[in-house]
Amino acid sequence: MKEPPKDPAVGSASHGPAAISSPEALRHRADEIMQDRKPEPLGELPPADTRQVIHELRVHQIELELQNEELRRTQESLEASRSRYFDLYDLAPVSYFTVSEEGTILEVNLSGSRLLDVARDALVGRPLNLFILPEDQDSFYLATRQLVNTERAQAFELRMNRRDGQPFWVWIEATAAQDDDANPVLRMVLTDITARKQTEQALRTADALRDSWTYYRQMIESLPQLVWTSGAGGEWDYLGPQWLQYTGFPADGQKGLGWARQLHPDDRAAAISSWNHAVAAGTALAGEYRIRRHDGAFHRFAWRAVPLRNEMGTITRWLGTNTDLEDQAPAEPDA
């Protein structure tokens, strides 16, 4: 069969889908193109009805050409839409899940697969709550039941497990929807908020430590002894006002091992050695050493330092006190 001639007007930019979206528009456009074409030589002139049939056939041929061109453009548009869908859905930075009302995973994007560290094919068909910590599954069940019963969007947070068992926090925003077959489904957006939760916990811990330190600092600064603290490695990092008032030197010059300059030269080496041994062994320090007062006088002090441990038994700090043995009121003589 002879291939129909290609009309240069077919598929041109001036005749987009909107111009040929109906049979009437197709017919009208085909008639216009037919008027512009030169008639093919037919030899002997046919009767009028034969010419009309031939005209109708040619118009129909042009209609088919226009429809084919419209189908081609529609196919290209669908391909472009599919590509945009892939970019927006599969490559989105957040995790998209589609689950049934019973919680079975029906669809998941690449970010959701990476979130759980499980291949996408292995996720589809499995219950989503398999990846939720047991203690948080009730929260998930209640939120999804509320969504199914009311069709109101739900937002909540809970903990999930990756394939390696590592727990993490997610924020879930869920809405009710329907799939292509009009079956009810739940659309969920999952966002990893582990870093935010860790920051919040760190801030709460810091607040608790600050409140605790404020309380204990006020308490130890009310003691009559010279009070100081050090880190786990033995470097003094805090000297109470009693020590500073007694020695008359600022704190910055006495932190670390600067405190040793205030000791009597004959006691300095022994005190440093005893302190280093206590830190290395993790045992309490007890001894007597002389400390220079702000006026240059040396008083003999009873030294004591104890390690402070966390719940794991690890030393985190040291607390030290020095009691002046020469500044005690003399005992009253017996009558």
Side-chain angles (χ1 to χ4, degrees), residues 272-287:
I272 293 176
S273 177
S274 297
W275 173 235
N276 289 337
H277 175 76
V279 171
T283 56
L285 167 71

Side-chain angles (χ1 to χ4, degrees), residues 29-97:
R29 180 61 188 142
D31 281 334
E32 288 181 345
I33 295 174
M34 186 63 190
Q35 294 299 326
D36 294 338
R37 290 185 178 180
K38 295 180 179 180
E40 295 181 5
L42 300 175
E44 184 181 347
L45 184 66
D49 56 345
T50 303
R51 289 198 300 271
Q52 180 63 30
V53 170
I54 293 176
H55 175 80
E56 290 294 330
L57 289 174
R58 289 173 177 171
V59 170
H60 182 62
Q61 174 186 331
I62 295 173
E63 288 180 350
L64 291 177
E65 292 174 4
L66 293 173
Q67 289 175 339
N68 287 335
E69 182 63 21
E70 184 175 12
L71 288 174
R72 184 187 63 80
R73 287 195 297 269
T74 301
Q75 181 66 24
E76 291 175 352
S77 177
L78 288 175
E79 290 294 336
S81 298
R82 189 177 296 110
S83 178
R84 287 193 297 272
Y85 168 81
F86 178 83
D87 291 340
L88 293 174
Y89 181 80
D90 265 349
L91 302 182
V94 295
S95 302
Y96 293 125
F97 284 78

Side-chain angles (χ1 to χ4, degrees), residues 19-268:
I20 55 174
S21 58
S22 67
E24 293 78 7
L26 281 172
R27 175 68 185 205
H28 178 72
R29 180 61 188 142
D31 281 334
E32 288 181 345
I33 295 174
M34 186 63 190
Q35 294 299 326
D36 294 338
R37 290 185 178 180
K38 295 180 179 180
E40 295 181 5
L42 300 175
E44 184 181 347
L45 184 66
D49 56 345
T50 303
R51 289 198 300 271
Q52 180 63 30
V53 170
I54 293 176
H55 175 80
E56 290 294 330
L57 289 174
R58 289 173 177 171
V59 170
H60 182 62
Q61 174 186 331
I62 295 173
E63 288 180 350
L64 291 177
E65 292 174 4
L66 293 173
Q67 289 175 339
N68 287 335
E69 182 63 21
E70 184 175 12
L71 288 174
R72 184 187 63 80
R73 287 195 297 269
T74 301
Q75 181 66 24
E76 291 175 352
S77 177
L78 288 175
E79 290 294 336
S81 298
R82 189 177 296 110
S83 178
R84 287 193 297 272
Y85 168 81
F86 178 83
D87 291 340
L88 293 174
Y89 181 80
D90 265 349
L91 302 182
V94 295
S95 302
Y96 293 125
F97 284 78
T98 300
V99 302
S100 67
E101 289 187 336
E102 294 75 26
T104 301
I105 300 173
L106 303 176
E107 189 176 12
V108 57
N109 69 345
L110 293 176
S111 294
S113 174
R114 288 192 294 266
L115 179 71
L116 299 179
D117 192 26
V118 177
R120 181 156 55 173
D121 292 343
L123 287 174
V124 175
R126 301 177 67 183
L128 183 59
N129 64 6
L130 288 180
F131 303 93
I132 299 175
L133 264 61
E135 49 267 45
D136 288 359
Q137 289 188 9
D138 284 347
S139 299
F140 178 74
Y141 176 80
L142 292 174
T144 53
R145 289 306 93 196
Q146 183 76 4
L147 175 59
V148 170
N149 294 334
T150 65
E151 295 189 350
R152 288 199 300 266
Q154 301 292 312
F156 51 97
E157 61 183 34
L158 49 75
R159 290 164 295 175
M160 304 186 74
N161 269 324
R162 292 189 175 88
R163 183 177 58 178
D164 60 2
Q166 182 67 30
F168 63 100
W169 282 92
V170 294
W171 174 257
I172 299 179
E173 296 178 77
T175 57
Q178 292 183 337
D179 63 12
D180 294 340
D181 297 324
N183 298 315
V185 294
L186 309 180
R187 309 282 191 195
M188 297 185 179
V189 180
L190 277 65
T191 306
D192 189 336
I193 59 170
T194 303
R196 191 194 80 190
K197 299 294 288 187
Q198 290 174 341
T199 300
E200 292 174 353
Q201 181 59 43
L203 291 174
R204 287 193 294 268
T205 300
D207 289 341
L209 288 174
R210 183 172 58 250
D211 294 343
S212 176
W213 169 241
T214 300
Y215 170 77
Y216 284 110
R217 181 171 178 172
Q218 292 174 347
M219 182 178 67
I220 63 178
E221 289 182 355
S222 67
L223 299 175
Q225 291 93 347
L226 311 187
V227 183
W228 49 270
T229 66
S230 83
E235 297 81 10
W236 289 24
D237 54 10
Y238 169 77
L239 297 99
Q242 306 95 320
W243 178 285
L244 300 179
Q245 291 171 7
Y246 178 83
T247 61
F249 285 92
D252 289 343
Q254 302 190 73
K255 290 182 178 179
L257 288 176
W259 55 270
R261 291 194 291 268
Q262 312 306 322
L263 272 60
H264 193 284
D266 295 340
D267 297 346
R268 192 171 300 155

